[in-house]
Amino acid sequence: MSSFLQYVRTAWIDHFPGTSPTNTYYSQTPTLRQIPSGTGVYVSNCLFNSIVESNQGGALYCTSATYFLVESSSFFSCKTSSSGGAIYFSNSGGQSVLYKVCGYDCCTTNSNSYLFGYIRVNNTATSKNYVNYSSIVRCVNENSASIIFYFNKGKICCQSVNASMNKCGYRTLYNDPFRDSSSVTCSYSYSSFADNIISGYTCIRFWLYEAKSEIKSCNILRNTQVSGTEGIIAINGNTMIADSCILENQATYIFHQCDASYRITLSNCTVDSTLNNGYLTTQNTVTKSFILALNHMST
């Protein structure tokens, strides 16, 4: 028991230093939707499998936590007829980190909702809305307004994420971060988005305005927009896309700037198409095909 407690303290402070968990789920296999309470919720080494619900958060629902950490846990075939097939976290004064999370075949049957997850945090530049070293695959719902994952407020940071082979009606990833013109509040790095199918709109959506965002060292491959006026990457804000592979995507536009006041800058990327709606700046674009050898792609 002492070694477990030491592990909890060490793992927790890696993400939320100076705080302690108040409610811990460790090495569990729940058969029902979990609704943890308390200010510090820590879920570690858990398996949520084939949980079917009619409420928000098919497997895990939390609105109480100021600090919310899900680590080394898997969500397989979790479903809801409401919002967030796997995870629903919403606290306007909170922070959230998903670390080493695996999501597979999670969905909602609702036509206007979030297949895998919805995360809403405190709307400041210092509030974490992070997903790192995680994989979300084969989440499917073709209803017109379905979204795979919605990140709402705070500083959005996705590092080493694999979101691939998903199918939805609206957007794969929807990002609405804290809006700060002096810093980057939405960042994707060392991540892969491959073989997603979107009936309309976009694969990756940044809803920014005066905020800044970046995509660095990412693979964006073979995604398909079936119809719609936007494209693979749609942004309304200044965004830098650097050192990335953007290949074999099919869409009205590969790069779509939704607000003429801002620009998308493409730097040192491998691309086979720069289809855009007129607000793209390219720097040192490479045309030779290559794929970034990210671990989650090879495994």
Side-chain angles (χ1 to χ4, degrees), residues 141-160:
N141 181 335
E142 297 181 63
N143 288 329
S144 59
S146 56
I147 296 169
I148 302 297
F149 209 136
Y150 188 15
F151 301 92
N152 194 355
K153 310 307 179 188
K155 183 173 183 179
I156 298 168
C157 181
C158 295
Q159 181 177 351
S160 295

Side-chain angles (χ1 to χ4, degrees), residues 157-192:
C157 181
C158 295
Q159 181 177 351
S160 295
V161 170
N162 177 28
S164 298
M165 296 178 285
N166 300 292
K167 192 171 185 179
C168 63
Y170 200 52
R171 311 183 195 278
T172 302
L173 301 169
Y174 200 131
N175 305 271
D176 183 6
F178 175 74
R179 294 166 187 174
D180 180 5
S181 60
S182 62
S183 63
V184 173
T185 55
C186 186
S187 175
Y188 280 76
S189 60
Y190 303 102
S191 296
S192 292

Side-chain angles (χ1 to χ4, degrees), residues 16 18 26 41 67 79 131 137 142 164 166 186 213 216 220 260:
F16 299 122
Y26 179 75
V41 171
Y67 305 101
K79 297 176 172 60
V131 179
V137 299
E142 297 181 63
S164 298
N166 300 292
C186 186
S213 66
K216 292 187 174 181
I220 302 173

Side-chain angles (χ1 to χ4, degrees), residues 30-93:
T31 57
L32 298 173
R33 171 175 176 256
Q34 299 299 297
I35 312 174
S37 60
T39 58
V41 171
Y42 180 33
V43 178
S44 177
N45 198 36
C46 290
L47 171 62
F48 298 82
N49 188 26
S50 300
I51 299 175
V52 179
E53 256 291 338
S54 60
N55 297 302
Q56 293 175 323
L60 185 60
Y61 174 86
C62 182
T63 58
S64 67
T66 305
Y67 305 101
F68 180 71
L69 172 60
V70 181
E71 178 208 36
S72 300
S73 295
S74 297
F75 298 81
F76 296 157
S77 301
C78 296
K79 297 176 172 60
T80 181
S81 55
S82 184
S83 182
I87 300 173
Y88 188 101
F89 172 76
S90 180
N91 186 339
S92 59

Side-chain angles (χ1 to χ4, degrees), residues 194-268:
D195 301 300
N196 297 291
I197 299 175
I198 309 96
S199 298
Y201 292 97
T202 55
C203 179
I204 303 170
R205 179 67 157 99
F206 290 166
W207 187 262
L208 303 166
Y209 288 107
E210 63 268 27
K212 293 181 179 178
S213 66
E214 63 182 17
I215 298 173
K216 292 187 174 181
S217 301
C218 290
N219 285 316
I220 302 173
L221 310 170
R222 300 181 304 274
N223 301 287
T224 300
Q225 174 205 35
V226 178
S227 63
T229 58
E230 293 184 0
I232 299 302
I233 303 170
I235 298 165
N236 54 332
N238 288 320
T239 298
M240 170 65 75
I241 304 174
D243 305 314
S244 297
C245 295
I246 306 170
L247 298 168
E248 299 181 28
N249 299 285
Q250 300 179 34
T252 303
Y253 299 109
I254 306 301
F255 310 95
H256 186 275
Q257 177 58 260
C258 304
D259 190 317
S261 303
Y262 303 102
R263 304 290 297 184
I264 301 171
T265 301
L266 195 66
S267 176
N268 198 37

